[in-house]
Amino acid sequence: MHSQPFTPETIAALATAYPLAPRHLQHRIAGHPLLQLDALAALAHRLRPESIEFNAATDLPLGIRNDETPYTGLDVHQTIAQIESAGSWVLLKTIDQDPAYAQLMRDVLATIEPVVEPRTGKMMRLEGFIFISSPGAVTPLHFDPDYNILFQARGSKTMTFFPAGDTEMIPDPFFEQYFNGGPRNLSWREEWADRGQPIRVTPGEAIYVPILGPHWVKVDDEVSVSLSLTWRSEWSFHHADACRFNSRLRKLGLSPSRRAAIRAERMLGRG
């Protein structure tokens, strides 16, 4: 890896967007040995089974429910070995449980602390994820509960973003269900398409993904490898607590807002 994963110009570009807006960035880790397919196949053997997800990923509707996602009949190791033709998507989760990947994650995220911490506070719960995707793979519309930079290492993909505050796309009760263990895939309406902001990335490019912002992903016509490095903030934990608190209020017949719940959490000494 280059001694610095980002140029000063890229750090400045992130600073113009963080934390609310998606941003196209450049990086220098695309050729890192840990991001090559043979290394990732070996990593899949070392990870705990609960740290791996895989399923069919081509020709999926954008609003498919989590429990409707089909499987191909291949195990994860067969899927990675046959990724060019498997029509699948593999997610290696919390790769920071492996010392080499944990070091890579810490080295990269340390370089953006001067941008992140003055705005959203201490970077908390650092985690790493790797996506290995067949040509044409689709990740349906969903949101992430953390701040995220996605680094493209192989192939290319387009991520289409929608405003995080769009309560039509993500009603308050959906957040509440998610933070109580519910799914994060969202429903889809074709009339929402014009609201999207597509950003395409190729090897050496990255995207800052805002927390809670709806987005979906489409891989181009070759195998894709992407690294996501994520973190949380004190506010993000307060928001999750507020959503769980909202759920309890709603069960009592009330209709709280996210802001009201956050205030209530603080009044109760939980925020």
Side-chain angles (χ1 to χ4, degrees):
M1 185 180 75
H2 193 281
S3 59
Q4 290 296 323
F6 300 114
T7 66
E9 291 78 14
T10 294
I11 297 292
L14 176 63
T16 66
Y18 188 79
L20 298 177
R23 184 65 193 239
H24 184 269
L25 305 169
Q26 306 289 325
H27 70 85
R28 294 167 163 173
I29 64 171
H32 197 289
L34 293 178
L35 302 180
Q36 308 311 304
L37 271 182
D38 57 349
L40 300 178
L43 175 64
H45 281 282
R46 298 196 299 273
L47 292 178
R48 300 186 296 266
E50 62 269 24
S51 298
I52 300 173
E53 292 182 21
F54 58 101
N55 50 252
T58 54
D59 301 317
L60 296 183
L62 295 187
I64 192 170
R65 296 201 314 262
N66 297 73
D67 59 1
E68 295 176 332
T69 306
Y71 293 93
T72 63
L74 302 175
D75 66 26
V76 65
H77 308 297
Q78 294 168 327
T79 300
I80 294 174
Q82 301 175 40
I83 196 65
E84 291 193 21
S85 59
S88 297
W89 170 91
V90 174
L91 172 59
L92 306 180
K93 301 188 292 185
T94 57
I95 60 170
D96 44 285
Q97 65 192 265
D98 184 277
Y101 288 88
Q103 189 62 56
L104 173 62
M105 176 189 71
R106 289 193 295 267
D107 289 347
V108 173
L109 291 183
T111 65
I112 63 170
E113 284 182 358
V115 170
V116 169
E117 296 197 344
R119 302 184 187 198
T120 54
K122 181 177 176 59
M123 298 174 74
M124 305 167 71
R125 193 182 290 178
L126 310 183
E127 293 182 321
F129 304 83
I130 289 177
F131 301 87
I132 308 167
S133 307
S134 295
V138 171
T139 303
L141 187 69
H142 67 287
F143 72 91
D144 298 318
D146 37 36
Y147 310 88
N148 173 21
I149 297 180
L150 181 138
F151 300 79
Q152 193 67 11
R154 174 174 173 171
S156 58
K157 61 172 57 172
T158 298
M159 187 176 289
T160 301
F161 293 90
F162 300 85
D166 191 328
T167 55
E168 184 180 18
M169 296 187 76
I170 312 184
D172 285 357
F174 191 92
F175 276 125
E176 296 163 18
Q177 293 167 11
Y178 171 78
F179 287 109
N180 279 287
R184 64 175 176 171
N185 281 10
L186 299 163
S187 61
W188 173 254
R189 299 179 192 170
E190 285 299 327
E191 60 264 31
W192 293 345
D194 290 343
R195 304 182 190 181
Q197 174 190 356
I199 299 179
R200 182 173 182 267
V201 282
T202 61
E205 298 178 334
I207 305 175
Y208 165 65
V209 182
I211 189 171
L212 305 180
H215 56 279
W216 67 277
V217 185
K218 175 70 179 290
V219 173
D220 288 344
D221 57 0
E222 57 183 304
V223 170
S224 169
V225 173
S226 305
L227 167 69
S228 281
L229 299 182
T230 72
W231 63 96
R232 300 283 296 273
S233 67
E234 187 177 5
W235 175 86
S236 76
F237 288 114
H238 288 332
H239 174 264
D241 288 341
C243 288
R244 287 187 281 266
F245 186 77
N246 267 358
S247 180
R248 296 196 293 272
L249 295 180
R250 209 173 292 278
K251 288 178 181 178
L252 296 174
L254 303 175
S255 298
S257 68
R258 290 178 225 170
R259 182 174 299 177
I262 291 172
R263 286 200 301 267
E265 289 288 336
R266 290 173 177 166
M267 290 174 64
L268 290 171
R270 300 176 184 173

